[in-house]
Amino acid sequence: MIEAAASDIAAFAVTNIDDIVMLAILYAQAGINGDKAHIAVGRYIGTCVLLAVSILGIYGVSFLSDSAVGLLGFVPIAIGIKSFFEYRREKNEDNEAAELKKITILESAVLTIANGADNLGVYIAVFSRFIAFDILLMLVIFAVLPALLCYAGKRLADRKCVRSCIQKYQSILVSAVLIALGIMILLEYYCL
């Protein structure tokens, strides 16, 4: 049981540490408290989808081939391009009230899935040696750890220097991070 818990925590930490930057960007550009809740709810939905696919993969029912998982790299690229053009349009319209972006649950969930698609291989490999009780323990651990990750991302975004930098350069920063994330996913599945 302790070995399974340690494996779960290590698998989550290794595969999600890069998400702190994405979460900090989302939290820094979120307008109202409701948007911040949307980020956390979307994160949980995305994590649940990844876990469900991993559990199916454990039992040999993998619906996604590596090439299909790699195609998820286009999701953050599309969101990044859309975000850039929305910001440019708002800037051209001199809409000063639209400085902070509204974050939706779906957007947060899709980003979690796209960024976590490469986690499937790790999760399936680690969790495949588990018995049913260990998988239940994994579900409990993965129910707690996304909250800690969201908290870390929010705390990072709450730092005045980080928030002001993200808000000042959000059009370029958010778009660049999302597009880079998508390119890394595509390169991982199609070039490496």
Side-chain angles (χ1 to χ4, degrees):
M1 182 168 104
I2 292 174
E3 180 184 333
S7 294
D8 294 343
I9 293 168
F12 185 89
V14 168
T15 57
N16 288 282
I17 195 71
D18 58 333
D19 290 356
I20 290 177
V21 173
M22 180 182 69
L23 286 167
I25 290 170
L26 291 175
Y27 279 117
Q29 73 180 64
I32 56 174
N33 285 336
D35 286 353
K36 293 176 182 175
H38 291 170
I39 295 167
V41 171
R43 181 77 195 179
Y44 269 99
I45 292 170
T47 300
C48 287
V49 168
L50 291 171
L51 287 175
V53 171
S54 296
I55 290 171
L56 290 173
I58 289 169
Y59 293 107
V61 184
S62 181
F63 293 111
L64 296 176
S65 66
D66 280 351
S67 60
V69 171
L71 291 175
L72 289 173
F74 287 111
V75 173
I77 292 172
I79 293 172
I81 292 170
K82 178 182 173 247
S83 174
F84 178 76
F85 283 113
E86 282 178 354
Y87 176 81
R88 299 294 294 175
R89 180 180 45 83
E90 290 169 359
K91 186 176 179 183
N92 289 339
E93 294 173 358
D94 289 325
N95 186 356
E96 302 205 9
E99 281 185 30
L100 298 176
K101 185 181 184 322
K102 181 165 177 53
I103 308 295
T104 66
I105 292 173
L106 180 62
E107 220 173 16
S108 179
V110 168
L111 285 173
T112 300
I113 294 166
N115 194 30
D118 58 338
N119 302 355
L120 294 175
V122 174
Y123 295 164
I124 292 170
V126 170
F127 304 150
S128 64
R129 351 174 243 131
F130 290 174
I131 60 172
F133 178 77
D134 292 336
I135 292 174
L136 180 62
L137 177 64
M138 178 252 322
L139 293 174
V140 170
I141 289 172
F142 273 67
V144 173
L145 293 180
L148 294 175
L149 190 66
C150 286
Y151 177 76
K154 185 178 177 318
R155 293 290 295 169
L156 182 61
D158 286 343
R159 298 191 53 91
K160 190 175 183 176
C161 62
V162 172
R163 179 178 294 281
S164 65
C165 179
I166 289 172
Q167 288 177 346
K168 184 175 181 182
Y169 300 108
Q170 83 176 18
S171 67
I172 295 168
L173 185 62
V174 172
S175 299
V177 167
L178 291 172
I179 291 169
L181 171 66
I183 290 170
M184 288 188 313
I185 293 169
L186 291 171
L187 288 175
E188 182 175 337
Y189 283 93
Y190 296 110
C191 295
L192 299 178

